[in-house]
Amino acid sequence: MEDVKEKSIHHTTIKICEDLKKSPAFLSLYEDIQKLVVTPSVKSDDFKYTLLKAMQDNGLESELKKQHLQMGKNEEKGCQPVDIHKYRPVYAPKDFLEVLLNLKGPIKDKSQGDSSQWEFTQLPLKVKNLAELIVKLHKQCYRLITCTNNTTTDYLRGVSIQELSRGEHILAASNSLNTTQSFAAFEAERIVLGEKILTKNYAPLAQEFLKRVALDVLGREYGVSLLGAEVKPLHKNYFEMLREHVLQYDLMTDKLIIKDINLTASNDDQYFVFEDVLYQVMLCFSRDAEILKSLPNQPAFMQVVIKGKQNGADNTMVFPPSGVIPFHGFTMYVRKFVLQRRARYYRTSMIVKV
Amino acid sequence: MGPSGSRRRMEHILGGTLTCRSLFSVDSGYRMNDNQLINHFPNHYEISRKDLLVKNIKRYRRDLEKEGNILAERGDSKYLHLDFIPTTFVLPADYNMFVEEYRKAPQSTWIMKPCGRSQGSGIFLINKLSKLKRWSRESKTPFQQQLTKESYVISRYIDNPLLIGGKKFDLRIYVLVTSFRPLKAYQFRLGFCRFCTVKYDSSVAELDNMYVHLTNVSVQRHGGEYNSLHGGKMSIQNLRLHLESTRGKLVTEKLFDQISWLIIHSLKAIAPVIATDRHCFECYGYDIIIDNSLKPWLIEVNASPSLTSTTANDRILKHKLLDNIFSIVVPPSGIPDVRWNKIPSTEALGDFELLIDEDLVNFQDNSENPNLMRSGYKWK
């Protein structure tokens, strides 16, 4: 019995290794590990242990896990088409309000089985003014946070749970934070903690942190960490190639994108400055054939024959190359990432869309 | 505001610059009573006229240098700490000095602005001395006669502005001064960046395209690209967020500290020449450009910043601005009173932050250390 189990683990390992080798980021990961091996922290007499230790310290272990996770995700997506009708885009405060108003209560409907729904519930809050309400909410939050079962405890290593769940200072609206000084101190503390978590380079940990603290300052780094969107030379080259494509040919969908941007981002007082960045990213996106590969249901795309050529497999191409036909508000999905550098921006937004 | 009896007293709380000038002129014979306030200082042009602002700042630097003040320290012939306005000369008066400076870097671009005008009118860029000469020949009145008419300032053009989305912008920051001697000034936390509608291009071909170079809404709104929903305005909080995430928190904080610092020193520069009157307060609109090394430059100061709103956000901001100004200038009793010490409560400040109050500074610490002063009232 033990033997069978051993064998199965062995097979899985081989399979994972094979898959890993095929992944585009493998080369750079391999290089990073090789570099690590020559450092003095890895000793030849206890190679296995010291290498593992060094990988942990340098965040490479998490990198490996992430790679594995991503691969797993892609496979899952491939075989389980998601019912997207349940989801609706929210890209304006107006939409958000609508979603909030349509929430259904957590009342279990027996006929629908296990799925519970959410709804607005009127809670009697015995407060006389806004200040009392803040105190009240703040206490509620504290309770919530301390109750939360911390699933990532294993990974907290350098960061203690106490640090993370010190509830009384999670919300900025707390009474003790009225003065600018104490707020600054509070923010500085959060940033230090936030940076500490970033060095671990592990997405679930970053996620837990973000659930509790909204930090504008580290927003970019957290976005990258959560999505595993580090930019390697590989990605830069790929982005450059897409940019070349933008220069080489026009797509009919470009007009849709431009119209979409003109109707949304260009009119928004927060994003109008970035309309150009948005164009560039969206035009690249529509030419990115990798997107189509990752899409489970092969959505609305067309097979078109190149103008003036004979109808045949060689002259047929998918249109648009990404397989995604933009719709109203499409661009607004990427707007949140406009603060980043372009190549990285592209990678981040691509991951989000897929 | 206050009991109905105080309504008459409030009459004079607002007046245009012209009304104020005539009110304070010797022959008006008008004396304000103790319960009246007015929203301008009699000679605010010392800061709002481009030539006088430059003159006052130059004098301020010289005075500090004579005192041997460390702030006036020079390195490489430039002031290290007080170098916050672009090199500027008044034309025609300083023409020879300008030519001397121009010859040091003949490739540079300069910007000509009429001293007394606003909203970007009469402004143009030059990159050749010959262009300036041609302009002076072609303008209806030659230099000599122009002395009494319209004078211009010529400033080194900041040709490396910080760009966002490829576009140039400047900052509009509101500053309230309730007294110059002692200096009491407040900086409004809200403000906005005004963006050009056209991408920045420093090439000679675009030198005459004012949609590339001037951020004034009054100029930009005539462009085909103008969007009336946001009016090309982005909030300063958004700029901060953008800079914090692209350049880092520390440098962003340093930039905003430097902005507060230059505001304080521009006010100190004019404090000795302002006719101070306890009835007066004034709200200034500071125009600041940030270059691509994140150094802020003071471009000009408006004593009557536009209070009309071009967008919904603008209306909210200006409403708050006025509301906060009134709550600062009117003492807790609700009735203006010249005998009040002009130290408002923290609650009354609203979205204003104390930049400097020399009464409080002298009270807390009589040292002249500017860093100490700044760290106390940090501009967030």
Side-chain angles (χ1 to χ4, degrees):
Chain A
M1 195 63 202
E2 274 293 298
D3 199 36
V4 176
K5 206 173 163 189
E6 196 104 303
K7 249 187 194 153
S8 121
I9 289 174
H10 183 67
H11 275 294
T12 321
T13 319
I14 289 175
K15 170 126 193 354
I16 291 173
C17 287
E18 291 284 304
D19 286 350
L20 200 61
K21 274 182 197 159
K22 278 184 220 148
S23 115
F26 173 72
L27 208 65
S28 67
L29 181 70
Y30 186 66
E31 273 174 14
D32 286 343
I33 294 177
Q34 278 190 322
K35 275 181 209 152
L36 203 62
V37 172
V38 292
T39 57
S41 57
V42 181
K43 300 185 178 59
S44 59
D45 47 338
D46 191 4
F47 187 72
K48 193 175 163 188
Y49 176 75
T50 50
L51 179 63
L52 271 178
K53 178 90 178 41
M55 279 174 70
Q56 270 177 16
D57 293 344
N58 288 281
L60 279 178
E61 192 203 16
S62 333
E63 175 82 0
L64 197 63
K65 277 186 192 155
K66 218 154 42 191
Q67 282 291 335
H68 185 203
L69 222 66
Q70 261 177 15
M71 272 160 31
K73 257 190 226 155
N74 288 345
E75 272 166 26
E76 267 169 45
K77 267 194 211 145
C79 50
Q80 295 180 345
V82 195
D83 179 17
I84 50 163
H85 295 289
K86 278 198 292 194
Y87 302 93
R88 55 157 304 173
V90 176
Y91 42 74
K94 217 171 56 192
D95 301 330
F96 187 54
L97 183 66
E98 208 174 297
V99 169
L100 282 181
L101 291 175
N102 283 315
L103 284 178
K104 298 279 180 301
I107 308 143
K108 271 195 184 164
D109 188 352
K110 288 280 186 307
S111 61
Q112 286 193 2
D114 277 346
S115 67
S116 56
Q117 288 182 311
W118 292 85
E119 178 178 53
F120 258 143
T121 309
Q122 307 257 341
L123 277 181
L125 290 173
K126 286 171 194 159
V127 289
K128 287 193 195 75
N129 52 37
L130 207 59
E132 277 183 34
L133 180 67
I134 290 171
V135 175
K136 179 103 183 164
L137 286 177
H138 158 227
K139 276 185 188 152
Q140 288 292 337
C141 274
Y142 178 69
R143 210 167 297 155
L144 269 179
I145 288 155
T146 41
C147 291
T148 315
N149 178 18
N150 209 321
T151 48
T152 52
T153 323
D154 293 350
Y155 305 106
L156 288 178
R157 273 172 260 166
V159 188
S160 73
I161 318 167
Q162 274 82 6
E163 262 183 302
L164 255 186
S165 55
R166 207 185 297 143
E168 73 267 8
H169 278 154
I170 297 289
L171 271 193
S174 142
N175 258 10
S176 59
L177 297 169
N178 273 342
T179 58
T180 332
Q181 277 91 343
S182 69
F183 178 73
F186 159 75
E187 199 188 14
E189 189 189 313
R190 292 293 104 180
I191 290 171
V192 170
L193 181 60
E195 280 168 348
K196 211 163 160 185
I197 288 172
L198 274 182
T199 56
K200 298 286 171 232
N201 189 22
Y202 189 60
L205 185 59
Q207 205 177 354
E208 282 305 308
F209 181 69
L210 274 197
K211 275 186 201 164
R212 294 164 164 77
V213 189
L215 268 188
D216 292 337
V217 189
L218 298 174
R220 177 178 65 172
E221 285 79 2
Y222 267 89
V224 170
S225 172
L226 274 184
L227 299 164
E230 289 96 325
V231 176
K232 304 261 163 64
L234 174 87
H235 305 124
K236 264 194 194 138
N237 293 339
Y238 187 65
F239 182 62
E240 283 308 315
M241 186 199 79
L242 289 175
R243 276 164 48 110
E244 278 295 305
H245 288 181
V246 174
L247 294 178
Q248 277 164 9
Y249 60 92
D250 292 336
L251 290 178
M252 207 170 66
T253 47
D254 293 354
K255 293 223 170 72
L256 288 178
I257 290 171
I258 289 167
K259 189 167 176 65
D260 183 37
I261 293 178
N262 282 339
L263 288 173
T264 54
S266 296
N267 289 333
D268 190 300
D269 64 319
Q270 291 189 49
Y271 300 107
F272 73 92
V273 237
F274 303 109
E275 56 181 25
D276 242 61
V277 187
L278 288 170
Y279 282 134
Q280 290 178 20
V281 166
M282 294 305 291
L283 295 187
C284 288
F285 177 81
S286 59
R287 284 158 181 76
D288 188 348
E290 287 291 317
I291 305 279
L292 185 62
K293 287 185 200 157
S294 324
L295 291 175
N297 316 345
Q298 307 274 302
F301 70 84
M302 295 169 268
Q303 300 276 346
V304 289
V305 180
I306 295 168
K307 207 177 167 184
K309 297 269 172 75
Q310 280 294 308
N311 199 344
D314 285 353
N315 296 329
T316 318
M317 62 177 279
V318 169
F319 178 84
S322 65
V324 181
I325 292 175
F327 48 86
H328 177 72
F330 186 53
T331 317
M332 291 305 256
Y333 287 132
V334 270
R335 67 188 174 158
K336 274 291 166 198
F337 302 95
V338 288
L339 299 176
Q340 313 177 3
R341 288 194 193 286
R342 256 178 319 193
R344 175 188 281 173
Y345 175 38
Y346 183 73
R347 180 140 162 75
T348 318
S349 32
M350 201 182 76
I351 292 173
V352 170
K353 281 184 181 155
V354 173
Chain B
M1 197 165 223
S4 59
S6 68
R7 233 189 102 76
R8 271 191 65 80
R9 297 194 194 99
M10 298 295 288
E11 260 166 28
H12 280 117
I13 205 163
L14 294 175
T17 48
L18 284 176
T19 323
C20 296
R21 198 175 298 170
S22 60
L23 206 63
F24 284 113
S25 73
V26 194
D27 28 81
S28 81
Y30 185 85
R31 277 192 64 85
M32 294 176 82
N33 73 35
D34 284 358
N35 300 112
Q36 286 179 318
L37 286 173
I38 189 143
N39 61 324
H40 286 290
F41 284 91
N43 55 345
H44 56 73
Y45 46 80
E46 291 285 350
I47 192 166
S48 61
R49 269 189 66 110
K50 298 168 180 91
D51 50 345
L52 294 178
L53 172 68
V54 171
K55 195 190 87 189
N56 284 319
I57 288 179
K58 285 182 177 172
R59 197 209 56 246
Y60 177 63
R61 289 168 176 165
R62 276 197 308 274
D63 288 351
L64 285 180
E65 204 168 7
K66 263 183 234 156
E67 276 174 31
N69 194 312
I70 189 161
L71 290 178
E73 198 182 339
R74 281 172 188 252
D76 195 19
S77 87
K78 271 190 174 165
Y79 289 94
L80 288 176
H81 313 289
L82 297 172
D83 179 36
F84 56 76
I85 50 167
T87 313
T88 301
F89 300 97
V90 180
L91 290 184
D94 298 338
Y95 183 74
N96 291 335
M97 280 156 75
F98 161 68
V99 172
E100 193 184 316
E101 186 69 27
Y102 178 86
R103 295 240 154 92
K104 285 184 198 163
Q107 289 308 310
S108 53
T109 305
W110 294 74
I111 185 164
M112 285 278 284
K113 298 176 185 176
C115 295
R117 287 198 250 167
S118 64
Q119 303 196 315
S121 92
I123 295 181
F124 59 93
L125 300 181
I126 63 154
N127 62 336
K128 284 196 184 79
L129 214 51
S130 60
K131 207 178 161 190
L132 181 63
K133 282 177 184 152
R134 192 169 62 231
W135 169 80
S136 84
R137 256 200 323 276
E138 282 171 6
S139 58
K140 283 164 212 137
T141 47
F143 270 164
Q144 281 71 20
Q145 289 167 38
Q146 232 182 9
L147 256 175
T148 49
K149 285 198 151 182
E150 195 170 35
S151 54
Y152 272 72
V153 289
I154 189 161
S155 314
R156 187 186 294 283
Y157 186 61
I158 295 161
D159 55 7
N160 60 332
L162 176 69
L163 304 180
I164 295 182
K167 287 168 187 163
K168 180 182 165 173
F169 65 97
D170 74 351
L171 304 186
R172 166 51 65 90
I173 288 171
Y174 297 97
V175 175
L176 173 68
V177 176
T178 54
S179 155
F180 273 97
R181 294 193 300 271
L183 183 59
K184 289 171 187 279
Y186 306 84
Q187 187 175 337
F188 200 47
R189 212 178 280 136
L190 315 173
F192 49 85
C193 313
R194 302 180 299 183
F195 279 83
C196 286
T197 47
V198 182
K199 279 201 160 188
Y200 185 72
D201 182 346
S202 59
S203 69
V204 180
E206 293 291 349
L207 214 57
D208 294 326
N209 185 350
M210 287 304 130
Y211 296 125
V212 173
H213 297 285
L214 296 190
T215 55
N216 306 59
V217 173
S218 43
V219 172
Q220 294 293 340
R221 68 190 311 167
H222 298 300
E225 306 279 322
Y226 183 77
N227 179 313
S228 59
L229 286 172
H230 51 68
K233 291 175 179 174
M234 187 176 86
S235 71
I236 285 196
Q237 290 99 309
N238 253 326
L239 172 73
R240 245 192 126 95
L241 184 58
H242 175 74
L243 291 178
E244 279 179 355
S245 51
T246 50
R247 306 278 187 127
K249 191 174 169 63
L250 279 181
V251 284
T252 309
E253 222 140 67
K254 189 178 155 223
L255 166 71
F256 282 93
D257 278 355
Q258 278 179 331
I259 290 175
S260 301
W261 152 276
L262 78 80
I263 292 172
I264 291 176
H265 286 282
S266 64
L267 292 173
K268 283 187 158 193
I270 59 157
V273 291
I274 287 281
T276 184
D277 181 314
R278 286 194 66 82
H279 298 93
C280 302
F281 68 91
E282 199 157 42
C283 174
Y284 301 104
Y286 271 72
D287 289 344
I288 286 165
I289 286 184
I290 304 168
D291 71 19
N292 59 12
S293 64
L294 289 197
K295 178 182 164 72
W297 295 92
L298 174 58
I299 301 303
E300 67 171 290
V301 183
N302 296 279
S304 305
S306 161
L307 294 176
T308 56
S309 38
T310 52
T311 66
N313 282 340
D314 229 23
R315 194 171 64 240
I316 297 170
L317 180 137
K318 282 162 185 171
H319 187 279
K320 270 191 181 169
L321 174 70
L322 289 180
D323 197 47
N324 291 170
I325 289 176
F326 290 132
S327 90
I328 291 178
V329 297
V330 177
S333 67
I335 298 168
D337 184 355
V338 284
R339 287 154 300 186
W340 180 47
N341 65 4
K342 292 193 173 180
I343 300 179
S345 66
T346 329
E347 293 78 56
L349 293 185
D351 280 310
F352 272 103
E353 277 179 352
L354 184 61
L355 262 185
I356 180 170
D357 186 329
E358 286 177 337
D359 268 348
L360 294 178
V361 171
N362 295 336
F363 180 69
Q364 285 168 349
D365 191 327
N366 41 22
S367 90
E368 271 284 302
N369 186 347
N371 290 321
L372 200 80
M373 219 161 61
R374 278 194 308 146
S375 61
Y377 316 111
K378 223 173 185 180
W379 198 73
K380 279 295 286 182

